[in-house]
Every structure is written in C-alpha cells, then in structure tokens.
Amino acid sequence: MGYAFESEDPLTLALAPPPDETPEQRAARESAEAQAKKISDEIDEQIRKEREGDRKKKKPVKLLLLGQFTLFTLTVVELINLSI
C-alpha cells in the first residue's frame, strides 16, 4: 500500500476552494468559515464548562454497615449525613 498524493485525497479535494473562485467569493467563503469556527469554539467552551461543573459536583458515597442495626449504627449514619 502506498500513500495517496494530496491531490488524490477526497477530503482535500472536497475542502479545496473552487479553481475559478473570484475574490468576492473567496471573501464570502472565508467569512462564513470564520463564523462557523467562532460558533464551533463557543460550543467547545460550553462543553468544557459543563464538564468542569460535573467534576465539581459531589459524588454520592456508598457505605455498607455490617452487623446488627442498633442505635449506634443510626448515629453513625446521621453523623455521615451531616458531614456530607
């Protein structure tokens, strides 16, 4: 298997500007690309903030108390609930 030349790469061909593009069309295309990049960056920032917020949330703690359920066990559970 050999490497494809850049001109044979379908993605490169799809993203390349048209060969007969006028300066006005180029300016319009670049403006649209800049606007799309700005929107994409805003979405990325929003996702980053949501993930950061999820990390800061307290995760539930699971505790398994073995033995007879007594008044002492109830007190331990109450103390744990107060500290969380």
Side-chain angles (χ1 to χ4, degrees):
M1 280 201 283
Y3 291 101
F5 291 110
E6 199 171 312
S7 63
E8 294 176 10
D9 181 22
L11 183 60
T12 303
L13 292 174
L15 295 177
D20 58 345
E21 182 176 53
T22 65
E24 294 83 21
Q25 291 172 333
R26 179 179 180 180
R29 178 181 51 83
E30 289 175 346
S31 174
E33 287 174 358
Q35 181 67 19
K37 176 152 178 40
K38 180 181 175 187
I39 292 171
S40 176
D41 290 344
E42 289 173 358
I43 292 170
D44 291 343
E45 181 67 20
Q46 182 181 2
I47 291 171
R48 187 190 63 76
K49 285 181 181 180
E50 287 176 3
R51 285 183 180 163
E52 198 173 277
D54 289 346
R55 284 189 203 125
K56 291 181 180 179
K57 289 181 183 175
K58 289 186 176 182
K59 295 181 180 173
V61 177
K62 295 181 180 181
L63 180 65
L64 177 62
L65 296 174
L66 300 174
Q68 292 181 337
F69 192 76
T70 63
L71 186 57
F72 174 73
T73 308
L74 209 84
T75 306
V76 170
V77 172
E78 289 174 1
L79 288 173
I80 291 172
N81 283 334
L82 289 176
S83 68
I84 294 179

